[in-house]
Amino acid sequence: DERVQGVLLANSPELAGLSDADLGAGIFLVRDGKPRELVGLVTGRVEFGDGQSYVAAVGPEELWRLAVQHRDNDRPRRTVYREDLL
């Protein structure tokens, strides 16, 4: 849908049953004879006034940000003194 920028999944019987507890669930591409490939994480549901409904997901372009985000931002950083860097 051109009204949204990002990954949208069309409703299916499997996706219709998702609840708030399923936020963050992995979305995998499954192919015969190959390992599953993570393609996104469920972020919520998008509903438009015309009745269309989709499941929204964070795709590969945004997933790397989750991996590199520091969870210890509230801790002060230790200063390392190296004379060769001054």
Side-chain angles (χ1 to χ4, degrees):
D1 195 304
E2 59 275 352
R3 297 175 280 187
V4 177
Q5 181 180 4
V7 179
L8 293 178
L9 304 170
N11 270 330
S12 67
E14 294 85 8
L15 295 175
L18 291 177
S19 67
D20 289 344
D22 297 314
L23 292 177
I27 302 168
F28 294 90
L29 177 62
V30 179
R31 294 185 233 171
D32 291 336
K34 295 188 178 181
R36 294 183 304 171
E37 181 180 341
L38 179 67
V39 294
L41 299 176
V42 174
T43 57
R45 188 174 300 279
V46 178
E47 296 179 8
F48 295 104
D50 59 4
Q52 289 184 319
S53 176
Y54 299 96
V55 172
V58 175
E61 293 178 3
E62 293 85 17
L63 280 176
W64 70 270
R65 290 187 180 106
L66 297 174
V68 299
Q69 181 180 14
H70 294 285
R71 295 199 178 265
D72 58 354
N73 283 340
D74 58 336
R75 296 181 187 170
R77 291 190 176 180
R78 292 184 293 159
T79 304
V80 177
Y81 177 78
R82 287 183 50 187
E83 195 168 313
D84 61 329
L85 295 177
L86 296 177

